[in-house]
Amino acid sequence: MLSAEQLECVGRRARHHRNRALIVVSLITMVGVTGHCVSYTYIVVIIREVVGVRGTSLAWVLAAYGAAGVLAVGLVARPLDRRPRGAIIFCMAGLTAAFVVLTALAFGGHRTATTLLVGIGAIVLWGALATAVSPMLQSAAMRNGADDPDGASGLYVTAFQVGIMAGSLGGGLLYERSVALMLTASAALMGVALAGMAANRHMLDVAATSSRDS
């Protein structure tokens, strides 16, 4: 813990934990990552039981999930620089939509060629946007904690890791009851994260380079 003299010397850089905007972005990140990991932990089960892809074809869907993420990172780079607010909200809205579609398929039960294609499309969309939104949220955290980049990075990473832990644990508990409930939880949590970002979209602007202390 820093002494009073040390706090006086380092000034604002020691108070990132009082930066409201940084805390809000980190909390939204934690909720979103939790929603993602609740279902991602069992993505193979989702592809097999919900989408209806089995055998060696399952590996191709997983490959498409990963490839979509690689492509998405490059595609969103320029929009993120120019319009970070729109880019982040677009990605989180797309993730919410993907989970809603997969949830509907899980509750529907009936499998047709159309539901197969829709399910694969939702998986690919999930892979693309989940990969793309992570650096976006990190950029938002760093912009809002620009006066203390180390503190901002530490808070963001902690929130991200807590989200992984909570999502994996929650996914395991829900999986024991129902895959459909697991996907419902992911859709709901991602929707909460989307609503949080939409309500605090001013924090996503490029100009947001200074701390907002409460």
Side-chain angles (χ1 to χ4, degrees), residues 156-179:
Y156 171 83
V157 170
T158 298
F160 200 98
Q161 294 300 318
V162 169
I164 293 175
M165 178 185 67
S168 300
L169 177 60
L173 295 173
L174 289 170
Y175 173 68
E176 292 182 351
R177 300 188 63 182
S178 167
V179 174

Side-chain angles (χ1 to χ4, degrees), residues 50-53 101-102 104-105 109-123:
V50 176
V51 179
V53 177
V101 169
L102 290 170
L105 292 177
H110 187 60
R111 301 287 176 268
T112 65
T114 299
T115 59
L116 177 66
L117 291 175
V118 170
I120 292 174
I123 293 292

